[in-house]
Amino acid sequence: MVLDDSSVSRQHAEVRATEGSAWNRLLALWLLRADEVDAERAMRCPAEVSPGIYCLRSRGNLDKLAAIGRPVILPLQGDDGMRWAVLLGVDVLSVRLGMGGDSFDIDRRQLERVWNGQFTAL
């Protein structure tokens, strides 16, 4: 799948990659149940999202995120507005993203065209 400045929304028109859906996916990866924390609370990024689970909003590059080694939420700027993806993995040439219920690999340079360096991690 190719992800460039215009394809964030076109190729995922059927999947509204909202911030809430990205948070739901991230919370599920951490195996947090809805009765422990919900996406709405997590989106506010309180210092402690759940006992022992902390939230961090920051800026960085893909090498920094690879060093963190955890899934993070990335805001992506498409032609028709913001979309949010969960960064699932990074290697030398590509990244694995999750948007909605889909996962796909794209070239690192393609991601960098639509990502401003901001991320949120648990």
Side-chain angles (χ1 to χ4, degrees), residues 23-38:
W23 274 102
N24 283 329
R25 186 160 187 169
L26 185 63
L27 293 172
L29 289 169
W30 278 92
L31 303 176
L32 292 170
R33 298 183 321 264
D35 63 339
E36 293 176 303
V37 64
D38 64 19

Side-chain angles (χ1 to χ4, degrees), residues 88-101:
L88 301 170
V90 179
D91 67 27
V92 178
L93 300 174
S94 64
V95 297
R96 175 160 283 264
L97 296 178
M99 291 180 83

Side-chain angles (χ1 to χ4, degrees), residues 1-12 17 59-60 62 73-85 87 95 97 99 104 106-119:
M1 169 180 250
V2 174
L3 182 68
D4 61 24
D5 296 353
S6 61
S7 66
V8 171
S9 58
R10 278 200 312 264
Q11 293 187 10
H12 289 284
R59 294 186 64 86
L62 288 174
I73 294 175
L74 306 178
L76 307 177
Q77 182 63 51
D79 284 345
D80 66 347
M82 293 298 295
R83 298 286 179 262
W84 286 263
L87 179 68
V95 297
L97 296 178
M99 291 180 83
F104 53 92
I106 64 164
D107 183 271
R108 288 173 64 128
R109 290 172 299 203
Q110 291 174 310
L111 175 66
E112 289 168 346
R113 285 187 214 127
V114 295
W115 176 55
N116 66 6
Q118 294 179 347
F119 68 91

